[in-house]
Protein backbone atom coordinates (compact mmCIF):
# COMPACT_ATOMS: atom_id res chain seq x y z
CA UNK A 1 0.00 0.00 0.00
CA UNK A 2 2.86 2.36 0.84
CA UNK A 3 4.32 1.88 -2.67
CA UNK A 4 0.97 2.82 -4.24
CA UNK A 5 0.74 6.01 -2.15
CA UNK A 6 4.34 6.96 -3.01
CA UNK A 7 3.65 6.32 -6.72
CA UNK A 8 0.46 8.40 -6.58
CA UNK A 9 2.21 11.31 -4.88
CA UNK A 10 5.04 11.13 -7.44
CA UNK A 11 2.55 11.15 -10.30
CA UNK A 12 0.66 14.11 -8.85
CA UNK A 13 3.86 16.08 -8.33
CA UNK A 14 4.73 15.54 -11.99
CA UNK A 15 1.35 16.93 -12.99
CA UNK A 16 1.76 19.95 -10.75
CA UNK A 17 5.16 20.71 -12.26
CA UNK A 18 3.92 20.38 -15.85
CA UNK A 19 3.62 23.62 -17.79
CA UNK A 20 0.15 25.00 -18.40
CA UNK A 21 -1.22 24.00 -21.76
CA UNK A 22 -2.40 26.56 -24.27
CA UNK A 23 -5.45 26.27 -26.47
CA UNK A 24 -7.21 28.26 -29.15
CA UNK A 25 -10.19 30.50 -28.37
CA UNK A 26 -12.55 30.77 -31.34
CA UNK A 27 -15.05 33.61 -31.16
CA UNK A 28 -18.02 33.73 -33.53
CA UNK A 29 -19.35 37.29 -33.75
CA UNK A 30 -22.95 37.45 -34.96
CA UNK A 31 -24.88 40.47 -36.19
CA UNK A 32 -21.86 42.31 -37.58
CA UNK A 33 -22.92 45.33 -39.65
CA UNK A 34 -21.06 46.51 -42.75
CA UNK A 35 -19.92 49.92 -41.50
CA UNK A 36 -16.35 49.89 -42.80
CA UNK A 37 -13.47 50.50 -40.44
CA UNK A 38 -12.19 47.56 -38.47
CA UNK A 39 -13.10 45.14 -35.69
CA UNK A 40 -10.62 45.35 -32.83
CA UNK A 41 -10.87 42.17 -30.77
CA UNK A 42 -8.96 41.42 -27.57
CA UNK A 43 -8.85 38.96 -24.72
CA UNK A 44 -8.05 40.76 -21.49
CA UNK A 45 -6.91 39.56 -18.09
CA UNK A 46 -8.44 41.01 -14.93
CA UNK A 47 -5.57 43.51 -14.73
CA UNK A 48 -6.17 44.65 -18.34
CA UNK A 49 -9.97 44.78 -18.08
CA UNK A 50 -11.42 47.96 -19.66
CA UNK A 51 -7.93 49.22 -20.44
CA UNK A 52 -6.44 49.83 -23.91
CA UNK A 53 -4.45 46.59 -23.65
CA UNK A 54 -5.01 42.91 -24.17
CA UNK A 55 -3.18 39.65 -23.64
CA UNK A 56 -4.27 38.49 -27.12
CA UNK A 57 -5.63 40.55 -30.00
CA UNK A 58 -6.75 40.53 -33.61
CA UNK A 59 -7.94 43.04 -36.19
CA UNK A 60 -10.52 42.38 -38.90
CA UNK A 61 -10.31 45.10 -41.53
CA UNK A 62 -13.46 46.25 -43.37
CA UNK A 63 -15.73 43.54 -41.90
CA UNK A 64 -18.64 42.32 -43.99
CA UNK A 65 -22.17 42.12 -42.61
CA UNK A 66 -23.16 38.86 -40.98
CA UNK A 67 -21.07 36.45 -38.96
CA UNK A 68 -17.31 36.72 -38.49
CA UNK A 69 -15.00 34.28 -36.74
CA UNK A 70 -11.87 35.36 -34.89
CA UNK A 71 -9.42 32.83 -33.46
CA UNK A 72 -6.90 33.64 -30.74
CA UNK A 73 -4.09 31.08 -30.84
CA UNK A 74 -2.18 29.51 -27.95
CA UNK A 75 -4.16 31.17 -25.16
CA UNK A 76 -2.95 30.23 -21.68
CA UNK A 77 -5.56 28.76 -19.33
CA UNK A 78 -7.29 31.25 -17.04
CA UNK A 79 -9.99 33.87 -16.84
CA UNK A 80 -10.40 36.50 -19.57
CA UNK A 81 -12.84 39.07 -20.82
CA UNK A 82 -13.54 39.54 -24.51
CA UNK A 83 -13.71 43.09 -25.84
CA UNK A 84 -14.67 43.80 -29.45
CA UNK A 85 -14.99 47.30 -30.89
CA UNK A 86 -16.32 47.98 -34.38
CA UNK A 87 -14.07 50.97 -34.89
CA UNK A 88 -15.91 52.43 -37.87
CA UNK A 89 -14.01 55.73 -37.84
CA UNK A 90 -10.57 54.12 -37.37
CA UNK A 91 -9.50 56.17 -34.34
CA UNK A 92 -8.98 53.16 -32.04
CA UNK A 93 -11.47 54.45 -29.45
CA UNK A 94 -15.14 53.90 -28.66
CA UNK A 95 -17.11 56.86 -29.97
CA UNK A 96 -19.87 57.95 -27.58
CA UNK A 97 -23.00 60.00 -28.28
CA UNK A 98 -25.36 61.01 -25.49
CA UNK A 99 -23.63 58.62 -23.09
CA UNK A 100 -24.24 55.65 -25.37
CA UNK A 101 -21.79 53.80 -27.64
CA UNK A 102 -22.01 55.15 -31.20
CA UNK A 103 -19.96 52.26 -32.59
CA UNK A 104 -20.63 48.53 -32.41
CA UNK A 105 -19.19 46.46 -29.60
CA UNK A 106 -19.33 42.99 -28.09
CA UNK A 107 -18.54 41.29 -24.78
CA UNK A 108 -19.54 37.97 -23.28
CA UNK A 109 -23.04 38.55 -21.81
CA UNK A 110 -23.05 41.99 -23.48
CA UNK A 111 -26.74 41.89 -24.40
CA UNK A 112 -27.65 41.69 -20.69
CA UNK A 113 -25.54 44.68 -19.63
CA UNK A 114 -27.38 47.83 -18.55
CA UNK A 115 -24.34 49.92 -17.58
CA UNK A 116 -20.57 49.66 -17.32
CA UNK A 117 -19.62 45.98 -17.16
CA UNK A 118 -17.92 44.42 -14.19
CA UNK A 119 -15.27 41.74 -14.52
CA UNK A 120 -17.55 39.08 -13.04
CA UNK A 121 -20.34 39.89 -15.53
CA UNK A 122 -18.21 39.36 -18.65
CA UNK A 123 -15.39 36.97 -17.76
CA UNK A 124 -15.08 33.47 -19.14
CA UNK A 125 -12.60 30.68 -18.42
CA UNK A 126 -10.16 29.12 -20.85
CA UNK A 127 -9.65 25.57 -19.55
CA UNK A 128 -6.30 23.80 -19.39
CA UNK A 129 -7.90 20.89 -21.24
CA UNK A 130 -8.08 22.46 -24.67
CA UNK A 131 -9.80 24.85 -27.01
CA UNK A 132 -12.74 27.18 -26.25
CA UNK A 133 -15.57 28.39 -28.46
CA UNK A 134 -17.76 31.43 -27.85
CA UNK A 135 -20.63 32.90 -29.83
CA UNK A 136 -21.15 36.58 -29.03
CA UNK A 137 -23.60 39.01 -30.66
CA UNK A 138 -22.42 42.46 -31.70
CA UNK A 139 -24.32 45.36 -30.14
CA UNK A 140 -25.20 48.45 -32.22
CA UNK A 141 -27.31 51.25 -30.74
CA UNK A 142 -27.54 53.61 -33.70
Amino acid sequence: MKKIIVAAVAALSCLAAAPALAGDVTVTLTGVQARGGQLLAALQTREQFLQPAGAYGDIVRDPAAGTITVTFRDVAPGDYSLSVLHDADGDGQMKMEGGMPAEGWAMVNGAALRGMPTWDQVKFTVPASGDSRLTVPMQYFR
Side-chain angles (χ1 to χ4, degrees):
M1 181 68 157
K2 185 176 179 183
K3 287 182 183 180
I4 294 173
I5 292 172
V6 170
V9 169
L12 288 174
S13 67
C14 288
L15 288 175
L21 301 175
D24 293 345
V25 175
T26 301
V27 179
T28 302
L29 297 169
T30 61
V32 176
Q33 296 180 7
R35 295 187 175 195
Q38 56 195 0
L39 293 179
L40 305 175
L43 298 183
Q44 297 176 312
T45 63
R46 179 187 284 272
E47 294 75 29
Q48 297 165 330
F49 181 57
L50 298 180
Q51 302 297 315
Y56 304 89
D58 199 4
I59 298 173
V60 178
R61 299 191 193 291
D62 198 22
T67 300
I68 292 179
T69 302
V70 176
T71 301
F72 301 96
R73 305 265 181 222
D74 300 321
V75 177
D79 290 336
Y80 296 90
S81 67
L82 167 72
S83 295
V84 180
L85 168 62
H86 190 157
D87 186 23
D89 61 9
D91 69 355
Q93 299 179 33
M94 170 64 76
K95 182 178 178 181
M96 303 292 285
E97 290 178 1
M100 296 294 290
E103 295 179 294
W105 61 276
M107 294 182 128
V108 172
N109 300 321
L113 296 175
R114 297 295 176 255
M116 284 296 281
T118 66
W119 171 257
D120 289 330
Q121 288 174 309
V122 299
K123 75 175 180 176
F124 69 97
T125 301
V126 174
S129 61
D131 299 341
S132 298
R133 296 187 179 282
L134 303 169
T135 299
V136 182
M138 291 293 296
Q139 307 294 317
Y140 294 90
F141 292 117
R142 66 169 196 113

